[in-house]
C-alpha cells in the first residue's frame, strides 16, 4: 500500500488538544502523528476517519529529545 502523500514536518501543525502534529485529510479529518511516534522514528501519519496515510519527512535527530511545542503567548494589542 502506498502513502497518499509525502509532507514535510514543517508543513504540519501542532495540535495541543490532540498532542500530535496534524495535516488536513481530504476526508475532512486530520492526519496525525504524535511526538512519541516521531521520537521512535515513525514516519507515518494516519487519518483516524479513513484509510489514508501520509509519509512525514523529518530529521529524527531533531526529535530525539524534543518537548511538546508550546502555544505562543498572546501578545498585548495596543488600542488607540
Amino acid at each position: 500500500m502506498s502513502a497518499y502523500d509525502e509532507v514535510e514536518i514543517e508543513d504540519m501543525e501542532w495540535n495541543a488538544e490532540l498532542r500530535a502534529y496534524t495535516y488536513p485529510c481530504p476526508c475532512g479529518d486530520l492526519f496525525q502523528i504524535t511526538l512519541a511516534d516521531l521520537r521512535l522514528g515513525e514516519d507515518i501519519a494516519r487519518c483516524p476517519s479513513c484509510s489514508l496515510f501520509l509519509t512525514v519527512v523529518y530529521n529524527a535527530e531533531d526529535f530525539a529529545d524534543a518537548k511538546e511545542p508550546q502555544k505562543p503567548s498572546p501578545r498585548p494589542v495596543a488600542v488607540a
Side-chain angles (χ1 to χ4, degrees), residues 14 19-21 33-39 63 66-69:
W14 175 254
R19 299 179 63 143
Y21 284 93
I33 189 166
T34 66
L35 189 57
D37 291 336
L38 294 168
R39 284 185 189 131
F63 289 90
K67 294 185 172 134
E68 284 188 11

Side-chain angles (χ1 to χ4, degrees), residues 11-66:
D11 295 330
M12 299 182 80
E13 184 175 308
W14 175 254
N15 183 313
E17 184 177 314
L18 296 174
R19 299 179 63 143
Y21 284 93
T22 62
Y23 191 80
C25 180
C27 79
D29 205 344
L30 296 169
F31 292 104
Q32 303 173 24
I33 189 166
T34 66
L35 189 57
D37 291 336
L38 294 168
R39 284 185 189 131
L40 293 172
E42 180 66 49
D43 67 349
I44 300 296
R46 301 183 187 282
C47 177
S49 297
C50 71
S51 62
L52 296 177
F53 63 92
L54 294 174
T55 300
V56 180
V57 179
Y58 71 102
N59 183 347
E61 293 174 3
D62 293 344
F63 289 90
D65 297 324

